Amino acid sequence: MNVSCIRAGVKDLPTGELIAKSVYIEACMTGNPHFPAPMPSLAEIAVVRTALVHWLSEAEGGARAAVATRWAIHAKMERLLVQLSKYVMAQAQGDIDRQVTSGFELRRPPQRITVLTAPEQLVANRSEHEGAVKLAWKRVHGARAYQVFVNAGDAQLEDDWRLVASTTRIRHEVRHLEPGRYHHFRVRALFAAGDGPLSAIVGRRAY
């Protein structure tokens, strides 16, 4: 298999998938003779994972403090798994067969991207901020960044569209919208060779 090494693979994972990934890696690492003293320890990771499960449930009610705590623990879980992946690579000393027993996936060599696809699964959700809408979409393979466009008029008129943000993430909160007005949104990916196609249009009223 043409691979270089493992990767943490935690960036932009939904919290539920991050928890499942941690459970799987913990199981693979427990008693693994290739990695006798994981750093960080599996016990520390398990404690954070348990807390993340709790706060994911608490955040379902939408309470701001619970949501903030959930994302803080989510970020800590990401950092711990990244640290653990680095330990695995250092301990395995380039032995890919040993690396894969850790439960982390393999990193494939980069491939030249010549064509981008349009961002899919674009959704617009209500924000807790006045005059704002939260957008999220599926990552486009090969994209270096994304452009976000908004239209407060006729979605069919190109002149009504305006670029409001460029971001490397697959989510963005569009602010300074007119409260009570319905807005249209679309996104496109950018890469070294140029722009990708525009996504489907979604709409949402700003509150």
Side-chain angles (χ1 to χ4, degrees):
M1 183 182 294
N2 187 20
V3 296
S4 54
C5 60
I6 60 164
R7 66 189 186 99
V10 298
K11 186 177 180 180
D12 295 318
L13 271 186
T15 301
E17 293 183 23
L18 183 64
I19 292 170
K21 185 182 189 76
S22 180
V23 169
Y24 178 68
I25 291 171
E26 289 171 56
C28 291
M29 293 286 287
T30 298
N32 191 320
H34 302 305
F35 311 106
M39 292 293 292
S41 70
L42 299 182
E44 180 181 357
I45 291 173
V47 167
V48 175
R49 171 178 51 77
T50 300
L52 187 55
V53 170
H54 170 76
W55 285 106
L56 175 61
S57 176
E58 290 291 317
E60 290 179 355
R64 184 171 298 181
V67 171
T69 301
R70 171 258 186 107
W71 285 116
I73 299 176
H74 180 110
K76 184 174 183 178
M77 185 83 260
E78 287 183 335
R79 290 194 298 270
L80 288 176
L81 291 181
V82 169
Q83 292 169 15
L84 184 62
S85 71
K86 291 179 179 179
Y87 160 81
V88 167
M89 285 187 285
Q91 190 74 13
Q93 298 183 340
D95 188 325
I96 293 175
D97 290 335
R98 290 187 178 185
Q99 291 183 41
V100 296
T101 67
S102 69
F104 287 102
E105 65 247 42
L106 290 168
R107 184 194 305 275
R108 296 184 180 278
Q111 297 179 345
R112 182 175 177 82
I113 305 298
T114 57
V115 178
L116 287 182
T117 58
E120 298 179 346
Q121 300 177 22
L122 175 63
V123 294
N125 295 314
R126 183 171 180 172
S127 170
E128 62 271 22
H129 299 108
E130 182 179 3
V133 171
K134 289 183 176 180
L135 303 178
W137 56 91
K138 186 177 180 180
R139 179 173 300 280
V140 175
H141 179 58
R144 292 189 172 182
Y146 301 89
Q147 291 181 325
V148 180
F149 299 85
V150 64
N151 184 330
D154 187 342
Q156 302 306 314
L157 295 179
E158 285 299 319
D159 289 345
D160 286 350
W161 286 95
R162 60 188 178 93
L163 175 65
V164 293
S166 294
T167 177
T168 57
R169 299 179 65 83
I170 57 171
R171 60 177 67 93
H172 182 75
E173 183 175 52
V174 182
R175 297 190 177 187
H176 308 300
L177 301 173
E178 182 179 344
R181 187 167 184 176
Y182 194 86
H183 295 76
H184 304 281
F185 304 91
R186 66 186 184 185
V187 179
R188 75 177 169 198
L190 307 176
F191 74 138
D195 304 341
L198 290 161
S199 69
I201 297 170
V202 299
R204 182 85 189 192
R205 191 177 306 280
Y207 293 94

